[in-house]
Amino acid sequence: MFNLISFLIGLVAIVPLLFTLLPHLWWVNWLLLPVPIVGLIIGLISRGTAGRNLNLIVLIIAILRLTIWH
């Protein structure tokens, strides 16, 4: 159950992440960062790895977007 919740949080977080790849929307990443962190914590509690991995990917992309392209 925790894996499903974590996966859904990752899906909710990835949609705005795609819009932050546009040049002038980098600041939305600061609002987006807590969402995959919460999903990652919930994913660590679960037995499955799909939700944890999705949130980890979303978090890495958001951090790279903030560090490289800003």
Side-chain angles (χ1 to χ4, degrees):
M1 187 66 172
F2 284 120
N3 190 31
L4 179 64
I5 293 170
S6 176
F7 193 78
L8 290 175
I9 290 173
L11 287 178
V12 167
I14 203 164
V15 172
L17 179 72
L18 295 175
F19 290 111
T20 62
L21 296 177
L22 296 172
H24 297 290
L25 292 176
W26 59 269
W27 56 271
V28 178
N29 274 330
W30 289 109
L31 301 174
L32 179 69
L33 279 178
V35 177
I37 291 173
V38 170
L40 184 64
I41 291 170
I42 293 173
L44 289 173
I45 296 171
S46 72
R47 292 184 194 177
T49 60
R52 181 192 66 205
N53 292 343
L54 178 63
N55 283 298
L56 193 58
I57 290 170
V58 171
L59 190 62
I60 288 171
I61 292 172
I63 290 173
L64 283 175
R65 171 68 174 108
L66 284 173
T67 57
I68 294 175
W69 291 296
H70 181 261

